[in-house]
Amino acid sequence: VSKRAGKMRCTWFSEAFDHSREQLKEMDDELRSALTNGEFCLNYQPLVDTTSRKVVAVECLLRWQRPDGKHVGPNIFIPVAEESGLINAIGLWVLRQACQDALAWDDITLSVNISAAQLRNPEFPIHLGHILEETGFDPERLELEITETCLVLDPIVAERSLAVIRGFGVRVALDDFGTGYASIGFLRQFRFEKLKLDRSLVVQAGEDDASRAMMLSSITVARAMHMDVTAEGVETEEQADMVRAAGCDQIQGWLYFKAMPAGEIPQHLNRPIGAQSRDDSDPHAKV
Ligand code: C2E
Ligand code: MG
Ligand code: MG
Ligand code: MG
């Protein structure tokens, strides 16, 4: 058996970390007990409306603190959970917890990341329906963030599930646009209610003309298709000005907010934030 065969199919992961099968199995076992032992928690990162400068949505971001106190980022452990299928159980936990947390926040949208493996599971819409019923969370305030991979791998199942999900009133956002193979043509092929420009595109658009043109034309197409546009990973005033001028509807990034525990969200609702209000004494200011 070749060395390669012992590694994960998820190539970027094996290239980046070169973990063996055994190490992956070990992490998968840890994730399984993390779920039963309550080692997961959710943080929320606010999205700021470019016009009103108010928080209009929050994105739910999964956090894992191991028993030894170490934090492991989702970019590390989500691919492992996807590989084993554990993401299905973790993802349902995330949805239920997030819907419960967000019940308290009137009017704003709750955005939850859904991985390709979840959307490929034909039972996903049924589980989602149950969670909405059990928690009483308004489906029209829920948005699911998916990536192009979700649709490329298994477009028929994905489209069928998305139709059921939309039937509940839930919106669908295309996440991480500008990375990987996501192209403008892709926007036309499938329907999304929101386009999320990845941080890498936002950063590059501030640095070179071709990337700027790419960002502007994606926004133009998104507009023509009545999609909302969010710029992700905005860290500087220059980037904020640029994406605002480009016509983005929301800004998400450390310039305004990092992800925070649920309990800290209410204090940021219903009051405008932004350039004028940011100074050293302002808790919104980036540290
Ligand atoms: P994403 O969905 O694109 O989430 C945005 C990521 O960008 C988050 O990283 C967030 O903390 C980070 N970010 C936001 N603003 C800034 C900024 O101004 N600068 C920089 N440098 N980073 C910023 P995080 O929390 O580490 O999550 C990474 C990825 O893990 C997410 O990317 C998402 O794909 C995945 N993920 C997180 N939570 C979940 C989950 O519950 N389920 C699934 N399936 N995936 C999740
Ligand atoms: Mg996301
Ligand atoms: Mg994203
Ligand atoms: Mg991203």
Side-chain angles (χ1 to χ4, degrees):
V1 181
S2 74
K3 194 167 166 239
R4 186 124 204 110
K7 290 181 195 156
M8 266 179 56
R9 268 178 287 135
C10 181
T11 44
W12 73 261
F13 188 82
S14 58
E15 276 158 18
F17 301 97
D18 207 29
H19 281 159
S20 66
R21 268 267 159 232
E22 294 74 54
Q23 283 172 301
L24 293 174
K25 175 77 177 71
E26 199 178 310
M27 185 181 273
D28 193 61
D29 290 342
E30 284 175 5
L31 285 168
R32 220 165 277 275
S33 51
L35 194 55
T36 46
N37 297 344
E39 293 166 27
F40 288 121
C41 83
L42 299 179
N43 274 358
Y44 297 89
Q45 186 181 25
L47 277 70
V48 177
D49 185 275
T50 44
T51 313
S52 71
R53 292 184 187 259
K54 285 182 181 169
V55 173
V56 287
V58 290
E59 177 175 5
C60 160
L61 295 163
L62 182 56
R63 299 290 177 253
W64 177 26
Q65 187 176 16
R66 298 195 324 190
D68 63 9
K70 285 209 189 84
H71 291 266
V72 186
N75 282 329
I76 305 287
F77 69 79
I78 298 270
V80 177
E82 280 177 337
E83 181 75 5
S84 69
L86 190 59
I87 190 66
N88 285 291
I90 295 175
L92 293 178
W93 178 84
V94 168
L95 270 167
R96 183 171 284 114
Q97 185 64 48
C99 285
Q100 254 156 29
D101 287 346
L103 277 176
W105 311 325
D106 284 342
D107 298 331
I108 65 167
T109 296
L110 168 67
S111 222
V112 179
N113 292 287
I114 301 297
S115 77
Q118 287 176 271
L119 201 63
R120 275 165 100 180
N121 180 348
E123 309 224 306
F124 176 71
I126 303 167
H127 293 308
L128 174 63
H130 286 156
I131 289 171
L132 289 168
E133 238 173 61
E134 284 162 24
T135 57
F137 189 73
D138 178 1
E140 301 197 344
R141 281 177 53 208
L142 181 62
E143 188 172 79
L144 302 185
E145 297 191 6
I146 66 173
T147 59
E148 52 166 349
T149 323
C150 294
L151 290 158
V152 169
L153 289 181
D154 207 339
I156 297 176
V157 176
E159 289 259 62
R160 198 186 298 139
S161 291
L162 290 179
V164 177
I165 288 165
R166 284 204 173 88
F168 298 150
V170 173
R171 288 186 304 266
V172 181
L174 178 63
D175 202 1
D176 297 345
F177 187 83
T179 62
Y181 301 103
S183 68
I184 292 181
F186 192 82
L187 292 181
R188 254 188 355 170
Q189 219 175 320
F190 299 97
R191 191 159 73 88
F192 302 100
E193 279 74 33
K194 182 186 276 182
L195 180 65
K196 297 195 77 173
L197 305 176
D198 192 73
R199 171 167 182 266
S200 58
L201 183 58
V202 171
V203 170
Q204 282 171 38
E207 287 168 1
D208 69 87
D209 291 347
S211 301
R212 172 89 59 112
M214 160 84 182
M215 184 185 77
L216 291 173
S217 30
S218 343
I219 295 172
T220 305
V221 174
R223 281 274 160 272
M225 299 191 65
H226 311 289
M227 295 166 72
D228 245 26
V229 182
T230 300
E232 278 193 302
V234 172
E235 294 184 351
T236 66
E237 285 294 352
E238 290 70 34
Q239 289 168 341
D241 289 343
M242 174 189 70
V243 300
R244 207 176 283 121
C248 288
D249 303 285
Q250 299 98 25
I251 291 178
Q252 178 178 0
W254 295 350
L255 172 65
Y256 296 135
F257 298 106
K258 287 193 169 180
M260 61 186 83
E264 292 175 24
I265 292 293
Q267 71 194 86
H268 301 299
L269 302 180
N270 300 313
R271 72 210 252 324
I273 68 131
Q276 331 79 296
S277 67
R278 281 188 311 107
D279 61 47
D280 289 345
S281 63
D282 189 325
H284 302 128
K286 191 190 150 209
V287 274

